[in-house]
Amino acid sequence: MARVYNWQLGRAMDYWYSENRPKRQFGAVFDINKCIACQTCTLSCKTTWTSGRGQEFMFWNNVETKPYGYYPLAWDVNLLEALGPQTWDGATYSGRTVFEAAPEGERVLGWMPEAIDYASPNIGEDEINGSVDKGMALSLPQQIWMFYLARICNHCTYPACLASCPRSSIYKRPEDGIVVLDQSRCRGYQECVRACPYKKVYFNPSTGTSEKCIACFPKIEEGIQPQCFVNCIGKIRLQGWVNPPERAREDNPIDYLVHVRKLALPLYPQFGLEPNVYYVPPIHVPDPFLIQMFGPGAPAAVKTYRNARNDKTLAGLFALFGSTERTIPFFRISGDEAIALDDDHRETVRVPIYEPLVIRPAEDPTRRIIRLNTT
Amino acid sequence: MSAHTRVSIVIVLLLAATASGACRRGPAIDTTQVTAVAVTGSLPTEDPLAAAWDGAPEYPAALLPQDIIEPKLMTAGAARVTVRALHNGDWIVFRLGWDDPTENILAQTGVTSDSAAIQLPAQAGSLVPDPAMGEAGKAVHLLYWKALWQDDAARAATGQDRIAALYPNATTDHYPFLANPAAKEEMARRYAPADAAGNPVTRRASTSAVQELVAEGYGTTAAAPSQQALGHGAWRNGQWLVTIARPLDEGPGMARLTPGQKTFLAVAVWDGTSRQAGARKMRSVWIPLVLQATAAR
Ligand code: SF4
Ligand code: SF4
C-alpha cells in the first residue's frame, strides 16, 4: 500500500497505488433539494448505454429515496455495518477507510451483492423515515423526512474498483480522470463489483464481464455534459472540473461550490475514495444523518444553502444548472446575469439570476373569476 | 536369515499383494509424477467417462489456497485434484477429477462458473517458471476449462443465450437491437461492449469449453496465439470429471510436449458457489509430467 493525500479526509491514507492525479478531474454537483425523482436521468442513460442483453438490471444512473431506498439493496448500510462506527475529529477523519480496514487477504473492505439485490430498484421509493401519527402532518418544522439521491459513478480520485482488479483492467484516464473498465481485458472476476462502495460496477451475465458508467466520455471530449445531466428535468446537475483545494479557482463553478463555499459535499467521504460527484445536502434532514452521509461539513452547507437565494453569486451559479448542454469550466456574474464560459473564457450562455416574479390576486374582477393555482 | 526376518518379508509381500489387488479394483496410484500413457488411435478428448481412462495411473495433486497475492483465497476449497493423462503422439488429453458438492455453470452477480486449469511451462526443462502464473521472460501456457463455456457451446445448437438460460421466464418489452432486423447483429454488439472489443471471454467468443492462455506473472493472462484445445466436463454425484486436450505441438510461443520427455504441470480449480474466480483459487505446485515414449512410427 502507498500513502496518498485525501483532502476530503484532511489527512493522508493508505491506497493500493501511489498518488497520481489526472491533468484535470471530471467533477459534478447535484443539488438534492431540486430532484423530483422523475428518473429521466436514469432512462436517458439506459437508452444510451445499457439497453443490451445482460444489461436489463443495470442502472449506471439511479435515483433512490433515502433513507429506505437502495440500489442495489442495502448497498450503503451493508458497508457502513462492515466498517463499524467511525469518527471525525473536526474536519479530519479519524476513522478507517475501506482501504485501511481491508481484511487479511483483501485489497479493499467490500461486500459482494447477489443478482436478487438488483431486483427492486424502486424499493423504499417516497417512503418517509417514520410513521405519521395523528396530528403529525400539521406540526412543523418536519419531524419526518425523505429525500431523493441521484447516483452515478463518482469517478473517484482513489477508486476502489481500480484498486481491486487483479488484472489492472480498470484505469483512470489521465486527461479527464474518468474511470473506465477495459472491455477487452476484463475477465469477469467481479472483484470491482465487490469493492466499489457505491456499487457502481455491474456484472453483465451475458458477456461475462463487468461494466460501469463512462461519464459519457465521447460527449465530454466534445465539451458536452453527459446524458443524465442535460436531460435532468429538475436542472439539479452541473458538470465541470474539480481541482484539489490548494488549486481551487473562484471562477470554476465546481471549485466554487465545493471549495470556496463548501456547499457541495462528497457522498460518504469516510470510505476514502475521494469521490468527485458533490451533493448540495437536503435542507430538511436531521444533522446526524447528513453528517454520516456527507461528512462533518453538512450542517454548515445547509445553512449556506438556505441563504443562497440572497447571494447573487450562488443564485447565479444555480441558475446556470441545466442552462446549457455545454460543460461549464468557468463562470462569472455580470449585473443581474450569470454567464457560463468555455475553456477559453468565451461566453457560452447567459441567464438572468432571478426570473421575473409576478404576483396576481386570486380574484380577477374584469373576468369575474377566481383563479386556481395549478402545478 | 533369522526366522523373525523371514516372517517380516512374508508380511511385506502379503501387504504388497493386497495393494496390487486393490489396484485391480480401483485406479493405479502414482504419487511421484503424472504419466501420460502412450496409446494408439483416438483419444477420449471429450469423454471423461471413457473406459480408456482405466489404463492411466492417477496422480493425486494436493491443492493449496492462492494466498500469495491479494485478493487471496482465505477459505480453502477442494483439497485435491486427481490427474490422469493419455497421449497418442499427436494430442495429449488430461482428465482432472475433484469433489464439488454443487454444479455451477452460469455466472451472474455473486456466482462464478466452476472452472479448472492446467498450467505448463512454455519452455520444457528443469528451470521451471514461478508456479504462480509464471514470471517475466518465463511464460506459462494455460488450458482453462469453464463449465460456462461448455454450456455456451451446447446451448448454441438451440439458439439459447446465457440470459435465457438464467431467466427462462423473463419477458422483455423491447431491445433496441431488435428494431431493425437487418442491423440486429451489429446493434447487439454495440450494446455488448466486451463482444465489440473482441474479448475472448464473452459468449460469442466461447466456441470451445477450453480456452488457451499465456501468462508471465500475476494479472498478465492473455489469449494464446493458438486456440485448438478441447475438453468436456461431467458433474456427477458431487464430483467433476473434466477432460482437457491439446495438440502436442501448437507452434511458436506455446508449450511443446514431446513423447519420452519430462516436463511439469500445475493445476488449479475454482468453485462457483464460493465465488472463486481469478486469483481466488485452489492451486498446486509444479508436478512432474512424463509423456511415455511412443513406438517408432
Ligand atoms: S432527471 Fe434530475 S430531477 Fe429527475 S430524477 Fe434525475 S436527477 Fe432527479
Ligand atoms: S464510484 Fe465505484 S465504480 Fe465509480 S470510480 Fe468510484 S469505486 Fe470505481
Side-chain angles (χ1 to χ4, degrees):
Chain A
M1 289 258 190
R3 288 296 281 177
V4 297
Y5 190 75
N6 181 327
W7 66 261
Q8 295 176 354
L9 306 182
R11 68 168 171 88
M13 63 163 204
D14 291 338
Y15 184 62
W16 193 256
Y17 298 106
S18 53
E19 186 165 344
N20 188 7
R21 288 180 186 265
K23 269 195 218 86
R24 58 180 183 176
Q25 173 62 56
F26 168 94
V29 171
F30 289 12
D31 181 354
I32 287 179
N33 298 286
K34 292 190 198 143
C35 178
I36 55 173
C38 62
Q39 306 281 6
T40 312
C41 48
T42 307
L43 265 290
S44 70
C45 174
K46 186 122 197 88
T47 51
T48 307
W49 299 115
T50 61
S51 295
R53 204 84 169 125
Q55 298 177 317
E56 291 83 352
F57 70 99
M58 245 185 241
F59 294 105
W60 292 356
N61 179 105
N62 80 291
V63 184
E64 58 202 44
T65 304
K66 284 297 176 199
Y68 296 131
Y70 317 89
Y71 170 79
L73 201 65
W75 66 270
D76 52 351
V77 291
N78 272 348
L79 188 62
L80 288 168
E81 187 162 294
L83 198 57
Q86 305 290 326
T87 47
W88 287 87
D89 188 2
T92 305
Y93 182 56
S94 42
R96 290 189 309 164
T97 67
V98 293
F99 307 110
E100 292 159 348
E104 163 70 18
E106 304 286 340
R107 298 183 182 192
V108 177
L109 172 71
W111 66 278
M112 184 64 104
E114 291 174 22
I116 193 78
D117 294 332
Y118 297 87
S120 37
N122 285 5
I123 200 163
E125 190 167 82
D126 288 350
E127 269 178 40
I128 49 174
N129 72 309
S131 60
V132 181
D133 300 325
K134 263 187 197 162
M136 186 95 164
L138 288 177
S139 73
L140 290 169
Q142 293 114 309
Q143 292 89 342
I144 52 169
W145 54 272
M146 54 79 145
F147 64 93
Y148 302 125
L149 186 67
R151 303 200 300 118
I152 62 172
C153 163
N154 295 291
H155 298 282
C156 307
T157 305
Y158 303 114
C161 59
L162 185 154
S164 72
C165 179
R167 283 181 63 69
S168 313
S169 301
I170 302 179
Y171 62 100
K172 199 166 167 62
R173 304 195 341 153
E175 64 270 38
D176 51 23
I178 292 172
V179 177
V180 285
L181 197 158
D182 184 340
Q183 289 297 317
S184 65
R185 249 192 98 66
C186 174
R187 290 187 65 85
Y189 301 155
Q190 302 188 33
E191 294 294 343
C192 50
V193 177
R194 178 198 303 251
C196 171
Y198 306 98
K199 292 292 169 264
K200 281 293 168 191
V201 196
Y202 305 86
F203 179 70
N204 180 326
S206 178
T207 59
T209 57
S210 300
E211 297 174 4
K212 68 177 290 298
C213 161
I214 57 172
C216 294
F217 69 77
K219 296 187 77 188
I220 300 254
E221 287 170 1
E222 300 289 320
I224 308 170
Q225 301 188 49
Q227 292 291 71
C228 57
F229 288 70
V230 300
N231 285 287
C232 175
I233 301 295
K235 300 190 174 188
I236 82 155
R237 301 179 178 215
L238 186 77
Q239 181 258 319
W241 308 99
V242 62
N243 289 304
E246 68 279 7
R247 288 201 275 122
R249 293 182 56 139
E250 292 237 359
D251 58 353
N252 169 329
I254 310 291
D255 279 358
Y256 187 75
L257 292 170
V258 171
H259 296 305
V260 180
R261 305 304 299 269
K262 300 190 178 1
L263 178 52
L265 307 167
L267 179 64
Y268 292 119
Q270 65 268 43
F271 294 160
L273 286 73
E274 215 187 276
N276 288 304
V277 174
Y278 297 85
Y279 291 89
V280 177
I283 55 173
H284 55 291
V285 173
D287 283 352
F289 193 90
L290 288 185
I291 291 168
Q292 171 171 266
M293 191 169 267
F294 303 108
V302 166
K303 220 167 147 198
T304 307
Y305 188 74
R306 283 186 185 276
N307 192 45
R309 195 182 149 73
N310 308 317
D311 180 318
K312 244 187 172 180
T313 311
L314 278 183
L317 186 43
F318 280 118
L320 285 173
F321 278 51
S323 65
T324 171
E325 265 206 318
R326 313 293 307 172
T327 299
I328 307 183
F330 301 107
F331 80 109
R332 72 185 165 87
I333 303 295
S334 169
D336 288 332
E337 291 175 324
I339 302 166
L341 307 168
D342 68 9
D343 278 328
D344 302 320
H345 288 259
R346 281 187 307 244
E347 178 176 329
T348 48
V349 76
R350 176 184 291 255
V351 294
I353 296 176
Y354 300 109
E355 296 282 345
L357 183 68
V358 178
I359 299 177
R360 295 189 296 185
E363 188 189 352
D364 182 339
T366 347
R367 294 179 184 78
R368 293 173 58 207
I369 52 165
I370 303 289
R371 291 194 189 92
L372 295 176
N373 282 334
T374 52
T375 53
Chain B
M1 189 184 280
S2 72
H4 180 79
T5 321
R6 261 199 310 273
V7 171
S8 305
I9 288 168
V10 170
I11 290 171
V12 167
L13 287 174
L14 266 176
L15 281 174
T18 321
S20 63
C23 259
R24 274 194 292 279
R25 286 194 299 275
I29 308 288
D30 183 343
T31 55
T32 57
Q33 64 185 31
V34 173
T35 305
V37 175
V39 297
T40 49
S42 64
L43 292 171
T45 49
E46 293 181 288
D47 186 359
L49 306 173
W53 290 111
D54 295 341
E58 183 165 291
Y59 177 89
L63 297 182
L64 300 161
Q66 190 292 110
D67 57 358
I68 301 162
I69 191 166
E70 292 89 355
K72 298 175 182 175
L73 184 65
M74 298 307 288
T75 312
R80 205 179 75 125
V81 173
T82 60
V83 188
R84 298 187 193 197
L86 299 166
H87 81 90
N88 65 3
D90 292 324
W91 277 63
I92 187 166
V93 54
F94 300 91
R95 192 188 76 174
L96 306 181
W98 71 97
D99 291 341
D100 182 348
T102 50
E103 183 188 29
N104 291 103
I105 296 174
L106 295 158
Q108 58 177 321
T109 312
V111 183
T112 56
S113 179
D114 289 339
S115 316
I118 290 174
Q119 175 180 281
L120 302 162
Q123 293 292 327
S126 53
L127 282 173
V128 286
D130 188 327
M133 309 301 293
E135 56 195 288
K138 283 171 116 182
V140 291
H141 175 189
L142 303 155
L143 300 158
Y144 193 155
W145 170 89
K146 212 182 245 306
L148 176 64
W149 296 332
Q150 176 171 319
D151 199 49
D152 283 340
R155 267 185 286 100
T158 62
Q160 194 197 37
D161 68 9
R162 292 177 184 174
I163 301 302
L166 271 170
Y167 302 103
N169 300 318
T171 56
T172 317
D173 301 341
H174 167 72
Y175 289 106
F177 56 84
L178 296 181
N180 177 357
K184 186 178 156 191
E185 193 63 14
E186 193 265 321
M187 287 292 278
R189 286 180 88 85
R190 191 177 293 183
Y191 282 102
D195 272 331
N199 190 322
V201 303
T202 69
R203 166 171 61 89
R204 276 155 213 276
S206 46
T207 49
S208 167
V210 181
Q211 293 191 357
E212 299 192 57
L213 302 162
V214 285
E216 292 194 4
Y218 275 114
T220 65
T221 43
S226 166
Q227 296 289 337
Q228 300 183 57
L230 299 171
H232 189 84
W235 184 87
R236 301 194 326 172
N237 310 321
Q239 198 197 30
W240 273 112
L241 285 177
V242 176
T243 62
I244 295 179
R246 53 155 282 191
L248 295 184
D249 184 359
E250 282 197 77
M254 313 282 282
R256 184 200 190 110
L257 298 170
T258 313
Q261 257 189 13
K262 179 176 164 180
T263 178
F264 293 88
L265 93 167
V267 291
V269 300
W270 291 262
D271 172 29
T273 306
S274 317
R275 298 167 175 176
Q276 292 171 10
R280 299 186 202 259
K281 66 184 173 199
M282 294 299 291
R283 41 101 203 188
S284 79
V285 294
W286 284 120
I287 302 160
L289 166 66
V290 176
L291 275 70
Q292 274 184 356
T294 23
R297 287 187 293 170

